Amino acid sequence: MEFETKIYPQIGGYGRYNRIITLFSWFPNFAVSLNLFSDVFFTLVPESYHCRPDPALLPPSALLGNLSRRAYLNLTVPWLKGSGFSHCELYKYPVNVSDYSEDVPREVVRCTRGWEYGKPAGLHNNLVTEWDLVCADYWKIPLQHICFMTGWILGYILLGTICDWLGRRCALLLSVVLSGLLGIMTCLSNSPSAFPFLRLCQGSTLAGVFLSSYIAKIDEVFPEDTQPEYHHVVELRQTRVIWKNCLILGFTLFIGTGIQYCFTRNLHIYSPHFYFSYFLRVLTGALACIFLCVSVDRFGRRGMLLLAAIVTGLSSLLLLALTQYLHGGFVLVLSVVGLLSSQALAMLSVFFGSEVMPTVVRGGTLGLIMAAGCVGMAASSLMELQNNGGYFLHHVIFASFAVLSVLCIMLLPESKYKPLPDSLKDGERQRRPPLFLSRTARDNPPLLHTQPHSSEYNRDNYSRLVTATKKMLTKDTLPYKISISPQAPLLASNGTAPDANEDSS
């Protein structure tokens, strides 16, 4: 942008107005992060739970009067070696039985009176314990997460387009108002069938809040910045470079978010406790963010994106091929490194896309990139919906995609130290730089080397100048008039100088 490269440094750079905008942009993002974190706690299954005993399935109460709580549970709930009490089954005894030892023939049936739960992590009660979303109804938990991610996908696509058509501020205000109302309705919902639908709607508005505030911060303005070029759909269809960059970066969010499930699944082997895997993901995400802040301005966006894709692909391939032969600690290290690089890959893809996409279509194209990332996040819930069936195929596909993304990233341009593109023409002018620095001094000798002269010629500006000049020349009245007093010629027609009388007259 001309404003960024020439005018912006002359007016003080990052001044008081920009600091205020940055401060107020934290509040909607903070609300979005709380909603994302709360989804994990809402649907967390307690570590310990079992069926509530049913007296109708037990021997006469006179035989059970002197039993302790532990002995009573051993009598009513089956014990599974290595996992404790059964989660979904009860013992059913014959009607006329006088002995309740282990030798008594008894039948195993499903739970009939609900469940007894341990305390969920961080909450006294959540959706799982309130609506008994376990055993046969466990599929409703990943379905709720899929609905939530589907809402984010729709929000990124629809509200991203609204950001381009109606402006960033209008989309932000609309998303904030709707997300607040839908959040209240979600908290008041008392039905397991209405809750996923409300979460879908709330997810779409939360996506609009994050996307509109993110783009507004990039553009450094909150007023509406729509231009007539937004509506040139035919011209947008002809922009091959922009769509190529959008597809490559979307394919790279998709991989960065989808492959994280392959790494986090290995963490439960070393510590089944909820807090270990949760805080480890948070820690690796923070380290990935710090790593990008330090490196991308120094080594470039494309180079660091390529490095993150290579590390992610190598980590996933090593875990895929050598998990059975590696030491447990080495598997843990590979999982942590792969998780860190995949999170860096997902973050940098969004940041890279915001810099290479033109301002006039930044909302729609960046929305498509982030929607692809949500598809990758929903892939992990699909695995849980099938009870981790097909996990090996899931790992193979995403590991192959990670290797393929290395080749695709080489086709991207480099946005380091370059102005943000404003129009579609600016976006089309972006070209892929060479991967390695070319040695022009060896190929071009000094005597034959020619340096092209930089030209300031602009066809549009030149045509405007010609049109304005023609209008000025065709006018009868000019803003000023040049008057020239008549003077005698310096030499007469015969070649002699005029006399004094003619000069004085």
Side-chain angles (χ1 to χ4, degrees):
M1 291 184 179
E2 293 292 330
F3 178 77
E4 291 181 345
T5 57
K6 295 182 179 180
I7 303 177
Y8 190 66
Q10 302 297 328
I11 61 177
Y14 193 75
R16 180 174 177 269
Y17 173 77
N18 303 103
R19 295 191 183 96
I20 295 176
I21 294 297
T22 303
L23 178 62
F24 280 94
S25 65
W26 289 352
F27 293 101
N29 293 329
F30 183 70
V32 171
S33 62
L34 288 180
N35 279 273
L36 288 174
F37 293 153
S38 64
D39 184 68
V40 180
F41 291 93
F42 285 162
T43 59
L44 180 64
V45 180
E47 296 181 1
S48 62
Y49 64 95
H50 56 81
C51 298
R52 183 177 289 111
D54 188 358
L57 304 177
L58 300 178
S61 58
L63 300 176
L64 307 175
N66 298 325
L67 294 179
S68 62
R69 177 65 178 175
R70 178 74 179 185
Y72 184 71
L73 290 178
N74 291 332
L75 181 65
T76 56
V77 182
W79 178 266
L80 301 179
K81 294 182 178 180
S83 59
F85 289 108
S86 176
H87 296 315
C88 308
E89 295 175 341
L90 281 174
Y91 281 136
K92 181 180 179 180
Y93 289 83
V95 179
N96 298 324
V97 63
S98 58
D99 185 14
Y100 48 85
S101 63
E102 296 182 356
D103 298 332
V104 176
R106 46 192 178 182
E107 184 182 355
V108 177
V109 296
R110 293 184 177 274
C111 298
T112 56
R113 299 188 61 186
W115 286 262
E116 293 181 354
Y117 301 95
K119 181 181 177 181
L123 297 174
H124 294 283
N125 193 17
N126 63 359
L127 303 179
V128 178
T129 60
E130 183 176 354
W131 293 329
D132 291 334
L133 302 182
V134 292
C135 296
D137 292 333
Y138 175 78
W139 60 273
K140 296 180 181 180
I141 298 177
L143 179 63
Q144 185 275 142
H145 186 71
I146 293 174
C147 292
F148 189 49
M149 289 294 102
T150 304
W152 280 79
I153 295 172
L154 297 177
Y156 279 138
I157 297 175
L158 298 179
L159 293 175
T161 306
I162 292 178
C163 287
D164 293 335
W165 284 72
L166 302 180
R168 286 49 160 147
R169 185 177 63 174
C170 180
L172 178 61
L173 295 177
L174 178 65
S175 302
V176 169
V177 173
L178 292 179
S179 63
L181 295 177
L182 290 172
I184 296 175
M185 295 175 62
T186 303
C187 294
L188 297 178
S189 63
N190 55 0
S191 172
S193 58
F195 184 81
F197 175 74
L198 292 176
R199 289 291 282 176
L200 186 147
C201 299
Q202 187 189 16
S204 62
T205 55
L206 290 174
V209 171
F210 178 76
L211 181 62
S212 56
S213 61
Y214 186 80
I215 299 177
K217 186 63 183 69
I218 294 174
D219 295 338
E220 291 291 343
V221 288
F222 267 114
E224 297 183 355
D225 49 1
T226 54
Q227 299 178 7
E229 194 174 0
Y230 289 0
H231 310 287
H232 290 180
V233 182
V234 178
E235 187 179 358
L236 181 60
R237 292 175 182 175
Q238 300 174 356
T239 55
R240 299 179 181 179
V241 176
I242 297 175
W243 283 117
K244 178 202 69 175
N245 297 337
C246 181
L247 290 177
I248 293 176
L249 291 172
F251 178 67
T252 308
L253 230 161
F254 173 70
I255 297 172
T257 55
I259 205 172
Q260 293 180 17
Y261 178 73
C262 303
F263 299 122
T264 55
R265 192 171 182 268
N266 296 325
L267 302 178
H268 299 287
I269 302 175
Y270 304 96
S271 179
H273 201 272
F274 164 73
Y275 290 107
F276 175 75
S277 59
Y278 175 76
F279 284 109
L280 186 59
R281 293 189 62 180
V282 174
L283 179 61
T284 53
L287 292 177
C289 185
I290 295 174
F291 173 73
L292 293 179
C293 293
V294 174
S295 60
V296 292
D297 287 336
R298 184 174 182 180
F299 302 102
R301 280 66 163 150
R302 193 179 68 152
M304 299 311 302
L305 191 68
L306 186 63
L307 177 63
I310 292 174
V311 175
T312 302
L314 288 178
S315 301
S316 60
L317 289 176
L318 290 176
L319 288 174
L320 186 64
L322 304 176
T323 302
Q324 299 178 354
Y325 308 100
L326 295 177
H327 189 265
F330 194 66
V331 174
L332 180 61
V333 171
L334 282 178
S335 300
V336 173
V337 172
L339 186 60
L340 188 147
S341 60
S342 61
Q343 289 179 339
L345 185 66
M347 294 180 190
L348 188 54
S349 299
V350 177
F351 179 69
F352 199 2
S354 63
E355 289 191 338
V356 298
M357 296 303 162
T359 303
V360 293
V361 291
R362 184 170 293 136
T365 53
L366 191 59
L368 291 176
I369 295 173
M370 302 178 77
C374 292
V375 174
M377 296 175 66
S380 61
S381 299
L382 290 176
M383 291 293 101
E384 295 180 0
L385 187 62
Q386 300 176 359
N387 197 14
N388 290 326
Y391 166 74
F392 181 78
L393 181 61
H394 174 90
H395 198 168
V396 170
I397 291 175
F398 275 93
S400 304
F401 283 169
V403 177
L404 181 61
S405 66
V406 175
L407 303 177
C408 297
I409 292 172
M410 296 182 182
L411 302 176
L412 292 174
E414 178 57 61
S415 60
K416 177 184 176 182
Y417 298 143
K418 293 184 179 180
L420 298 178
D422 284 334
S423 61
L424 298 179
K425 294 181 181 179
D426 296 336
E428 284 294 302
R429 290 170 184 159
Q430 296 176 343
R431 292 295 181 266
R432 174 181 61 88
L435 183 62
F436 302 102
L437 297 177
S438 60
R439 299 181 180 181
T440 57
R442 177 179 300 179
D443 300 332
N444 300 320
L447 296 178
L448 301 179
H449 180 68
T450 58
Q451 181 70 23
H453 297 283
S454 60
S455 176
E456 297 293 338
Y457 172 75
N458 190 319
R459 183 176 181 180
D460 296 335
N461 294 339
Y462 181 75
S463 61
R464 294 174 185 173
L465 178 61
V466 172
T467 304
T469 305
K470 289 181 178 180
K471 290 181 179 180
M472 293 178 60
L473 293 177
T474 55
K475 288 183 179 180
D476 296 335
T477 59
L478 296 176
Y480 55 88
K481 184 176 181 181
I482 302 175
S483 59
I484 303 176
S485 58
Q487 294 182 357
L490 296 178
L491 296 176
S493 59
N494 55 2
T496 59
D499 54 4
N501 294 332
E502 291 181 356
D503 190 17
S504 60
S505 64

